[in-house]
């Protein structure tokens, strides 16, 4: 082994440590922040989809009630629902 090899390896290790601290650590923090933001956006979309699904389920319940209610006049019920929807 060359006697110069040990100091050269020491310098290289030091340079790698500096490089890691200056460039890699901020890059990893940036990647972590991107993942956090992506998770927040995904959670918001999931909440929006859940709310929309709830609205659709309510509408289906109304339609089921109309279809199964034999005593109600179907056309009057549909018009009443249209009127309610126009008000909202």
């Amino acid at each position: 082994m060359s006697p110069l090899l040990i100091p050269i390896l020491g310098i290289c290790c030091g340079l790698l440590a500096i490089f890691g601290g200056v460039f890699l650590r901020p890059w990893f923090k940036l990647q972590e922040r991107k993942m956090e933001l992506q998770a927040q956006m995904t959670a918001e979309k999931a909440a929006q989809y859940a709310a929309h699904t709830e609205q659709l389920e309510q509408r289906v319940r109304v339609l089921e009630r109309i279809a199964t209610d034999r005593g109600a006049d179907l056309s009057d019920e549909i018009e009443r629902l249209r009127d309610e929807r126009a008000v909202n």
Side-chain angles (χ1 to χ4, degrees):
M1 269 177 66
S2 171
L4 290 175
L5 188 60
I6 293 175
I8 290 173
L9 287 175
I11 291 171
C12 288
C13 288
L15 289 175
L16 283 174
I18 291 171
F19 178 79
V22 172
F23 295 108
L24 291 179
R25 185 179 300 153
W27 184 80
F28 281 126
K29 286 184 180 180
L30 175 65
Q31 297 304 316
E32 182 180 352
R33 182 68 181 139
K34 284 181 179 179
M35 288 175 25
E36 289 172 357
L37 291 174
Q38 183 68 30
Q40 288 176 355
M41 289 176 23
T42 302
E44 289 173 7
K45 283 185 179 181
Q48 290 173 352
Y49 289 140
H52 185 67
T53 301
E54 178 61 31
Q55 290 174 346
L56 291 175
E57 287 176 356
Q58 288 176 358
R59 293 177 73 181
V60 168
R61 281 189 216 111
V62 168
L63 292 173
E64 287 174 343
R65 191 182 77 234
I66 291 170
T68 58
D69 187 5
R70 301 194 189 274
D73 186 16
L74 186 58
S75 63
D76 290 340
E77 185 74 17
I78 291 172
E79 290 303 320
R80 186 182 64 76
L81 289 173
R82 283 186 183 149
D83 293 340
E84 285 179 9
R85 203 163 171 217
V87 171
N88 294 332

